Amino acid sequence: MTDLTDDYIIEAREHLDEMETHLLQLEQTPDDINILNSIFTDVHTIKGAAQFTGLSQSSELAHRVEDVLDLLRQETIACTAEISDLLIGSMDRLALLVNEVEQSRQETSEIDDLVEQLNQIINKTDADSIQETDTNPETKAETDAVDETPADDAVDGDSIQNFLTSSKEQFAFISTLLDSLKADSRCENYCPQLISTMMIIAADAQPLGLEKTKDLSEKIAALLVLVEQKDNIIGQPVLTLLNDVIERFTVLFHELELFQLEASPVEDLLERIDDLVQKDFSGTVEDIATETDKLDTDAVNSFIENSRASLTAIEADLLLLENDTHNTAVLTSLASHFATIENAAQLLDLSPVETLCQHTVLLLNQHIDNEQVVTFPLMELLSEMEEQLSVSLTGLENSEALILPVDDLLSHIQLLQQPTEEHEEAEINVNIAGFDTAMVDLSGDTYAEEHDRELFDIFLQQLQNTLQSLQKKVIEQKSVAEYRAEIDTLKSSANYMGYSRLVEFYQQWLDRINTLADSETEDEAITHELMFDYIEALVKTFPQLKLQTVPEPDNLSPSEAAPVLATEEPAAAFDEEEINSLKDITDITEITEDNLFNQLSQALEVSTSQGDSDNDAVSDEAMHEIFDKMLTDNENVTDVASKPVPAFTPVASPESKENDYNKKQAEPKITQNKETKTQSKKPLTDKKPTAKKTKAQQKDTSSSKKVLKRNVRVDAEKIDTLMNQVGELIVDKGYFHQLFNELRLLQKELKENASLNSRELKQVRAFSFRFAEAIVSFGRTSNDLQEGVMKVRMLPISQLFDRYPRLVHDLVHRTDKKVNLEVRGEDTELDKMIIEEISDPLIHLIRNAVDHGIESTEERKAAGKPEVAKLLLEAYNESNHIVIEITDNGRGIDPEKIKAKALDKSLYSEDELARMSQKELFYLIMLPGFSTAKEVSNTSGRGVGMDVVKKNIEKLNGILEIDSKPGTYTKMRLKIPLTLAIIRALQVRVGDSFFTIPLSNVEETLRVYNKETSMMEGTKVIHLRGKTMPIIYLSKLFNIHSDHLSSEKFFVVTVNTGMQQIGLIVDELLGQAEVVIKPLVDYLQEKSGFSGATIIGDGKISLILDIYELVNMTTSKQVLRHQQQQNLKRKSLNLEENNA
Amino acid sequence: MTVDTNMLDAQDEQASEKDQLMQLVGFVIGNEIFGVDILMVQEIIRGAVVTAIPNAPEFVEGVINLRGNIIPVIDLRKRLNLYVEQKTDDKNWVLLLNIGNRTTGFVVDRVTQVLKIQHDQIEPPPDIVVAGLESQYINGVCEIDDYLLILLDFDRILLMEEIRKLKQIDNMKTT
């Protein structure tokens, strides 16, 4: 249960995220049906999952949202700002509920307010349409009645209630239409809508068993189609009839509501419709019968739309089914959706779709009735169906001609259907030949290396060998006893592996052979066929098997000359008599009227008839032709619709048969063929974003097992631990380097001091050389390892960026600003921890940009800028750093304002401010409490933000830069190291202590002579390239005894804080290294000037300098000193005065 | 010098039988003997290289590298403001204690032995200053044979606010 809830949380989150994106898109383009559909899918999935997990609140809310979305989709209501706000609100509530479920496994938040608002929208629409018509007071009464009826009756009552609720909406709509029809009898404006509504009702009614409603609505729809075909004018008789029908519907619904059954007769109306059809449209009927191609565009479009909706629902159901293969409820809903499409297709005379759906419904019903577990092939098939239908819908939309490879799918359906049908028959019929009895169905089972791989390989090997010898024996027409021995071997090996189904299968096989032997019919053909059937079933079950085609003996009859693993179909084509004996098998061939297949059979016939005369070349050629044709055909088909995917091969798709049949020639082509398919699929997916999404989900459904194997959800903590270990390794690496250096010194010393002879010396040298090699190799491996682990932690920044469209939306909301957010480089990857850390600062910067940077529409217009402001969010890599830029083309930062504010707050004197560069001025906004906003708004203006942002970025060893041009733009530039745990750094020594300076801060290192320095206000400075830079003794700052205090020249490390450059005087530069940052205890880290510590090679600890803090410390010290000096001066002045 | 953890387990079992019994690790600073609950002691090391941290509070001896982890080390003598003459031993003793899920090292003069005492032997700290030590850092005292064992309250010793305040005072002094 817990797992289920967890799954729900993950799934719901994903869908909510998606929904958010779509909702925001919807705001931009409120009429986009594709977006609506995507949202609908998301909500539907969430609803389904919530229901399944038993989360009543979420599912209820989702259901209401669905209702509203449905209205939007039908364009009954327009997508106003109010509605989209409500939808976003509902989405937030759903997210909240998900969070609650995650934390406490309970839904605590109330949803009543939202449900009420949503209901208001739904009801308002109803009321509106009723007001318009005013002819159907019953409907209104009904609306109220429905609303009052508690929805928690029996299941049946429930679904009827749902049906009524939705139908009532439809009727309100119809009434409006009829009303307008009276005034305007040209039906092209209304007919398509009427037809589609009727079809929806019919489709809804069917699964509920409401025959009368269904019949009536179907008839009406048919009539309207005729009307459309004929003259597009709804005459008085039709209008009267329609009115009557509507009234009857109202009565029927009333009855349904009260008694849950349809009491009133509808036959009279049906007859009237028929009469009308006979009388007025007899000609048209024929027209339609003959010219199915000329379907009315509108009708087709509405069909497409409706089918799309059904397909979306199917897709969602399939996903559910994937998780729970026993769920009959889902199956039922699947069946009903397919039935919907079937009905709609029937009305439009789209026979391929109709047959396909019909068969699917049959198959599903069979499963439901037998309470069968949904097998993998079935899942595959259903997904395939769904995809095929959606693709053919697209085709229909574009080309107006239905292209659907129905036959393939049909044959698959048949194949799936067959075993069960046969099973039933087998129970009744005792077959003499024991031939028609179904084999033990192996199709659902997959055998993989779930056990010991080695064992499985042996098993397969044995299976293959035995089958091969069995094939040989069958061809050589050995005795039954010999078959039995072979099968016994197989059975025992299956038994050993613990495959009980397989054992059963073998047992059945044995039994049948026995029956055959006992019956003494000695019908060679039947025994033969039986053997082949079973062998083939095995081959299908174990696609891993690679059976060689046994060469044909010349003296065999044509039927026996069929290559050993040829399947029933080609075999059936050879011999008319055999077709009769193989009744159930030919069933397939009859339905599988695939053109290609016929051609194939023909070619086979040709080749086998010529087979005696050794004319293999001819048959080869024929095969080539066929495959070539298949290739091109497939390409044609895939242009509009993708052919069944190779996933079907285990279920005996034509390819697999041919593959077996003519393996050598076929194989390269088939692969090529498959490649073409996948290739030609790509452009298709690119063209249609919605289709792409469907496909992606499809992929999930069909290959989820594989995906599971490839993706592992790992606790973040484990990765962190791993990272720490890698850190240790890096430290060790440093240690090895140091050891090597010591070794070299030792070697040198040995050479100079110890009296070693050349041989001994050589040995030492050789050893140190090998040691160096070992270190290099060790270093390489550890670097790779480090990189690998780092990559695991890397996540695309889109995780972060995806949240911001919503943020901007909320910020702009209810303001007179228009902002277009543009995101670039969201694929850029960076450390997971950093992503978490920069989230808040980024939010703040974006807020600032929208709130302060971007002007109102009026202001922009006045400034001659485009009304819609642009906010650009961009991420890219720059060496070892990631740069994130937030640029707005708003009013920019006014340096004068900053100056005024700084003066106002008496942070700096006018002199100081005048001396500051523009850049330095910009940095002032990052001071605590600094805000230039005139008013404090609810989003910003309190002057806390930038200070915090700066601190957060600095904590990550990052740099924040500000660039702006007043009136034009503001650019915030964040430069952050890719990872936190390991940084490149400069190691330095001061006295006996070691310090580490992050390379990101280091500008350059200098060697400075004391005479080059001068003193300014008590601080040592140097002039560097025309600039004055303060330099400080680290030893003085840290109170460490240093040996170089008095020396003439010293090392200076120039560091940059983004704002300021200072030089640090150190005793020695030790070089660059990769260091692992280890945190210090908080009371040591706080305001100490250290951001952490690291362990250098020999286990010593080196403290990592926090440059920002350091600079702060020095400046504050300076300020203190300054004040002290001033105080002193003042005191001495006072003294003097006193003295005076 | 690591304390055997099996011993701790055994101690647990014993405690359930007669939970009055308590095991303490005794250590010496100057002339005084202190005790700390053995369950808090993670390990005891000798002669660790302590890296000093500039600008840290005075009582912070520095940090040590304990198998890749950086552990702060506090000079207990300085922390408790005990006036004792400078120790002579060149090799320091560091008592690593687990306080609030964090390992902290404490430099002491010497670790003596594991002591077993009855719970009711422990008396509340006297109001007056014991051994020049403010009573706020003392959990209790216990008379063993002829000397007084002081049980220190290490949670209090590591109280963050206090450390922070002390640090500020330190900083003020240096500037």
Side-chain angles (χ1 to χ4, degrees), chain A residues 124-142:
Chain A
K124 205 172 92 191
T125 342
D126 293 342
D128 281 355
S129 36
I130 288 156
Q131 272 171 8
E132 276 174 36
T133 53
D134 243 0
T135 48
N136 265 332
E138 293 98 326
T139 328
K140 193 173 164 58
E142 211 176 279

mmCIF file of all heavy atoms in Angstrom, chain A residues 124-142:
data_model
loop_
_atom_site.group_PDB
_atom_site.id
_atom_site.type_symbol
_atom_site.label_atom_id
_atom_site.label_comp_id
_atom_site.label_asym_id
_atom_site.label_seq_id
_atom_site.Cartn_x
_atom_site.Cartn_y
_atom_site.Cartn_z
ATOM 1 N N LYS A 124 -23.212 27.210 -14.187
ATOM 2 C CA LYS A 124 -23.509 28.468 -14.852
ATOM 3 C C LYS A 124 -23.696 28.244 -16.348
ATOM 4 O O LYS A 124 -24.611 28.775 -16.960
ATOM 5 C CB LYS A 124 -22.374 29.482 -14.601
ATOM 6 C CG LYS A 124 -22.843 30.916 -14.723
ATOM 7 C CD LYS A 124 -21.760 31.868 -14.283
ATOM 8 C CE LYS A 124 -20.928 32.286 -15.465
ATOM 9 N NZ LYS A 124 -19.711 32.997 -15.098
ATOM 10 N N THR A 125 -22.809 27.407 -16.870
ATOM 11 C CA THR A 125 -22.913 27.115 -18.295
ATOM 12 C C THR A 125 -24.254 26.493 -18.611
ATOM 13 O O THR A 125 -24.923 26.854 -19.590
ATOM 14 C CB THR A 125 -21.819 26.133 -18.734
ATOM 15 O OG1 THR A 125 -20.804 26.118 -17.765
ATOM 16 C CG2 THR A 125 -21.295 26.502 -20.078
ATOM 17 N N ASP A 126 -24.633 25.542 -17.766
ATOM 18 C CA ASP A 126 -25.924 24.894 -17.993
ATOM 19 C C ASP A 126 -27.037 25.918 -17.957
ATOM 20 O O ASP A 126 -27.880 25.996 -18.836
ATOM 21 C CB ASP A 126 -26.181 23.834 -16.929
ATOM 22 C CG ASP A 126 -25.204 22.688 -17.087
ATOM 23 O OD1 ASP A 126 -24.611 22.582 -18.183
ATOM 24 O OD2 ASP A 126 -25.032 21.934 -16.123
ATOM 25 N N ALA A 127 -27.006 26.690 -16.893
ATOM 26 C CA ALA A 127 -28.073 27.670 -16.700
ATOM 27 C C ALA A 127 -28.134 28.625 -17.885
ATOM 28 O O ALA A 127 -29.218 28.942 -18.389
ATOM 29 C CB ALA A 127 -27.827 28.448 -15.407
ATOM 30 N N ASP A 128 -26.955 29.030 -18.353
ATOM 31 C CA ASP A 128 -26.899 29.947 -19.484
ATOM 32 C C ASP A 128 -27.619 29.382 -20.681
ATOM 33 O O ASP A 128 -28.499 30.025 -21.262
ATOM 34 C CB ASP A 128 -25.442 30.215 -19.884
ATOM 35 C CG ASP A 128 -24.820 31.226 -18.945
ATOM 36 O OD1 ASP A 128 -25.571 31.742 -18.092
ATOM 37 O OD2 ASP A 128 -23.614 31.459 -19.070
ATOM 38 N N SER A 129 -27.263 28.163 -20.992
ATOM 39 C CA SER A 129 -27.856 27.596 -22.202
ATOM 40 C C SER A 129 -29.347 27.394 -22.039
ATOM 41 O O SER A 129 -30.121 27.533 -22.980
ATOM 42 C CB SER A 129 -27.167 26.282 -22.568
ATOM 43 O OG SER A 129 -26.821 25.586 -21.408
ATOM 44 N N ILE A 130 -29.759 27.116 -20.818
ATOM 45 C CA ILE A 130 -31.198 26.932 -20.599
ATOM 46 C C ILE A 130 -31.932 28.251 -20.745
ATOM 47 O O ILE A 130 -33.006 28.335 -21.340
ATOM 48 C CB ILE A 130 -31.445 26.308 -19.212
ATOM 49 C CG1 ILE A 130 -31.001 24.855 -19.252
ATOM 50 C CG2 ILE A 130 -32.906 26.376 -18.831
ATOM 51 C CD1 ILE A 130 -30.652 24.288 -17.927
ATOM 52 N N GLN A 131 -31.285 29.270 -20.208
ATOM 53 C CA GLN A 131 -31.917 30.581 -20.344
ATOM 54 C C GLN A 131 -32.101 30.941 -21.806
ATOM 55 O O GLN A 131 -33.105 31.489 -22.203
ATOM 56 C CB GLN A 131 -31.055 31.645 -19.657
ATOM 57 C CG GLN A 131 -31.411 31.793 -18.191
ATOM 58 C CD GLN A 131 -30.425 32.668 -17.478
ATOM 59 O OE1 GLN A 131 -29.567 33.276 -18.112
ATOM 60 N NE2 GLN A 131 -30.551 32.735 -16.176
ATOM 61 N N GLU A 132 -31.086 30.630 -22.574
ATOM 62 C CA GLU A 132 -31.164 30.952 -23.990
ATOM 63 C C GLU A 132 -32.345 30.251 -24.638
ATOM 64 O O GLU A 132 -33.094 30.834 -25.397
ATOM 65 C CB GLU A 132 -29.879 30.516 -24.704
ATOM 66 C CG GLU A 132 -28.775 31.534 -24.611
ATOM 67 C CD GLU A 132 -27.507 30.968 -25.196
ATOM 68 O OE1 GLU A 132 -27.582 30.224 -26.185
ATOM 69 O OE2 GLU A 132 -26.439 31.268 -24.641
ATOM 70 N N THR A 133 -32.491 28.981 -24.355
ATOM 71 C CA THR A 133 -33.532 28.218 -25.050
ATOM 72 C C THR A 133 -34.904 28.424 -24.421
ATOM 73 O O THR A 133 -35.878 28.721 -25.118
ATOM 74 C CB THR A 133 -33.210 26.724 -25.015
ATOM 75 O OG1 THR A 133 -32.986 26.365 -23.637
ATOM 76 C CG2 THR A 133 -31.970 26.428 -25.831
ATOM 77 N N ASP A 134 -34.926 28.235 -23.119
ATOM 78 C CA ASP A 134 -36.186 28.390 -22.388
ATOM 79 C C ASP A 134 -37.265 27.406 -22.835
ATOM 80 O O ASP A 134 -38.419 27.526 -22.444
ATOM 81 C CB ASP A 134 -36.725 29.829 -22.504
ATOM 82 C CG ASP A 134 -36.749 30.455 -21.118
ATOM 83 O OD1 ASP A 134 -36.359 29.759 -20.160
ATOM 84 O OD2 ASP A 134 -37.188 31.590 -21.010
ATOM 85 N N THR A 135 -36.925 26.500 -23.711
ATOM 86 C CA THR A 135 -37.934 25.557 -24.193
ATOM 87 C C THR A 135 -37.951 24.288 -23.375
ATOM 88 O O THR A 135 -38.904 23.537 -23.421
ATOM 89 C CB THR A 135 -37.662 25.182 -25.655
ATOM 90 O OG1 THR A 135 -36.276 24.849 -25.751
ATOM 91 C CG2 THR A 135 -38.011 26.313 -26.597
ATOM 92 N N ASN A 136 -36.876 24.052 -22.670
ATOM 93 C CA ASN A 136 -36.773 22.788 -21.953
ATOM 94 C C ASN A 136 -36.714 22.974 -20.446
ATOM 95 O O ASN A 136 -35.663 22.862 -19.848
ATOM 96 C CB ASN A 136 -35.519 22.031 -22.406
ATOM 97 C CG ASN A 136 -35.865 21.047 -23.500
ATOM 98 O OD1 ASN A 136 -36.986 20.560 -23.570
ATOM 99 N ND2 ASN A 136 -34.866 20.773 -24.329
ATOM 100 N N PRO A 137 -37.818 23.308 -19.863
ATOM 101 C CA PRO A 137 -37.770 23.510 -18.419
ATOM 102 C C PRO A 137 -37.394 22.214 -17.691
ATOM 103 O O PRO A 137 -36.809 22.256 -16.625
ATOM 104 C CB PRO A 137 -39.183 23.947 -18.069
ATOM 105 C CG PRO A 137 -40.039 23.567 -19.227
ATOM 106 C CD PRO A 137 -39.156 23.452 -20.420
ATOM 107 N N GLU A 138 -37.722 21.104 -18.327
ATOM 108 C CA GLU A 138 -37.404 19.820 -17.676
ATOM 109 C C GLU A 138 -35.918 19.682 -17.427
ATOM 110 O O GLU A 138 -35.501 19.178 -16.391
ATOM 111 C CB GLU A 138 -37.875 18.641 -18.542
ATOM 112 C CG GLU A 138 -39.362 18.530 -18.666
ATOM 113 C CD GLU A 138 -39.844 19.145 -19.957
ATOM 114 O OE1 GLU A 138 -39.247 20.143 -20.427
ATOM 115 O OE2 GLU A 138 -40.809 18.625 -20.503
ATOM 116 N N THR A 139 -35.197 20.144 -18.436
ATOM 117 C CA THR A 139 -33.748 19.968 -18.313
ATOM 118 C C THR A 139 -33.226 20.665 -17.073
ATOM 119 O O THR A 139 -32.367 20.156 -16.367
ATOM 120 C CB THR A 139 -33.035 20.538 -19.540
ATOM 121 O OG1 THR A 139 -33.886 20.372 -20.655
ATOM 122 C CG2 THR A 139 -31.731 19.849 -19.772
ATOM 123 N N LYS A 140 -33.786 21.827 -16.846
ATOM 124 C CA LYS A 140 -33.319 22.562 -15.679
ATOM 125 C C LYS A 140 -33.674 21.808 -14.408
ATOM 126 O O LYS A 140 -32.850 21.663 -13.509
ATOM 127 C CB LYS A 140 -33.926 23.964 -15.667
ATOM 128 C CG LYS A 140 -33.226 24.856 -14.647
ATOM 129 C CD LYS A 140 -33.714 26.260 -14.749
ATOM 130 C CE LYS A 140 -33.345 27.064 -13.520
ATOM 131 N NZ LYS A 140 -31.925 27.106 -13.249
ATOM 132 N N ALA A 141 -34.908 21.346 -14.412
ATOM 133 C CA ALA A 141 -35.325 20.573 -13.262
ATOM 134 C C ALA A 141 -34.378 19.392 -13.067
ATOM 135 O O ALA A 141 -33.973 19.077 -11.946
ATOM 136 C CB ALA A 141 -36.751 20.065 -13.457
ATOM 137 N N GLU A 142 -34.037 18.841 -14.189
ATOM 138 C CA GLU A 142 -33.149 17.692 -14.146
ATOM 139 C C GLU A 142 -31.799 18.059 -13.554
ATOM 140 O O GLU A 142 -31.268 17.362 -12.719
ATOM 141 C CB GLU A 142 -32.964 17.190 -15.574
ATOM 142 C CG GLU A 142 -32.734 15.726 -15.661
ATOM 143 C CD GLU A 142 -32.660 15.337 -17.116
ATOM 144 O OE1 GLU A 142 -33.724 15.185 -17.700
ATOM 145 O OE2 GLU A 142 -31.557 15.228 -17.646
#
